[in-house]
Amino acid sequence: MAVRRVYLDTEFLPANPTNRGLVSIGLTDDQGRSYYAVNRHMDIAAVLAIPWMVNNVVRSLPMLRETDGEEWVADLDWQHADMKSLETIRAEVTQYFAGTDASETRLYAYYGGQDIGRLHMLWDNDWARMPEFIPKWFTELQALIVDAGNPQLPEQPEGLHHALADAEHNRRIHEHLLSLARERAV
């Protein structure tokens, strides 16, 4: 295998570019290998103070319970296997990217500037500390969509604002764009 395509998505606090602003990270590749983690060191008070985050992102996180009678309550399951320390996330993301026999890994994201920034922040944006096989650049799926003439895209069936579900949807979008390009080439 020459090239491994990896699709990235993160959920994050827009105003907090530090690791406490990372809520979750999802990675999936063209071979079906996936990784998902929720940052147990996120600034949960800041997350819960933003109604959009509560209504869209928090609902996708591991919960002990989601409702209290008529009112929705966020009761995160801090013991869930997806809830991980930054050190664990960093080590597991390193293993995820290292675990390939591909000669090259290409990273793809949808409106992914923040996503790659959050990935690199796991190493404090210090490329000297970051393993050399972690991609330093990504291909923007939105640019590929525009270049393809803004075709109809596959709909995301579920999991919107769940980092792994969004990364998997990014893979489906890219596969769709590649199939359209193959059709045009015939």
Side-chain angles (χ1 to χ4, degrees):
M1 179 171 70
V3 175
R4 176 188 187 198
R5 293 183 178 119
V6 175
Y7 303 87
L8 165 69
D9 188 71
T10 62
E11 299 301 335
F12 53 86
L13 287 164
N16 185 345
T18 71
N19 279 323
R20 289 195 29 90
L22 175 67
V23 175
S24 60
I25 183 169
L27 297 160
T28 191
D29 66 15
D30 53 0
Q31 303 301 306
R33 289 188 58 228
S34 295
Y35 176 77
Y36 177 70
V38 177
N39 179 12
R40 74 170 43 257
H41 300 291
M42 73 177 111
D43 184 348
I44 191 63
V47 170
L48 294 175
I50 302 170
W52 187 91
M53 295 292 289
V54 171
N55 292 329
N56 294 282
V57 175
V58 173
R59 292 177 184 263
S60 295
L61 302 177
M63 296 286 180
L64 289 171
R65 65 189 170 120
E66 294 182 19
T67 59
D68 185 13
E70 294 294 314
E71 189 171 324
W72 190 83
V73 176
D75 191 3
L76 293 177
D77 182 354
W78 294 98
Q79 303 307 312
H80 192 279
D82 290 340
M83 296 291 237
K84 300 177 182 188
S85 70
L86 283 167
E87 295 76 22
T88 298
I89 294 170
R90 185 181 308 112
E92 291 177 352
V93 167
T94 297
Q95 290 173 346
Y96 179 84
F97 279 103
T100 183
D101 58 357
S103 59
E104 178 184 356
T105 297
R106 293 187 186 164
L107 189 64
Y108 296 82
Y110 187 74
Y111 290 104
Q114 284 277 352
D115 298 316
I116 195 166
R118 302 302 170 144
L119 173 66
H120 292 177
M121 181 51 76
L122 293 174
W123 293 272
D124 298 321
N125 286 317
D126 183 349
W127 287 7
R129 284 185 46 224
M130 188 172 72
E132 64 182 26
F133 47 81
I134 304 292
K136 293 179 176 60
W137 57 274
F138 75 103
T139 299
E140 175 57 68
L141 289 171
Q142 181 58 34
L144 297 179
I145 292 165
V146 170
D147 289 348
N150 291 305
Q152 181 77 27
L153 299 174
E155 289 188 29
Q156 186 167 352
E158 59 185 47
L160 191 62
H161 304 299
H162 180 284
L164 181 55
D166 289 349
E168 290 168 343
H169 187 61
N170 290 347
R171 185 184 68 230
R172 285 189 295 277
I173 288 171
H174 190 226
E175 289 168 349
H176 178 70
L177 294 172
L178 292 172
S179 71
L180 292 175
R182 282 190 296 273
E183 287 174 13
R184 275 187 243 120
V186 173

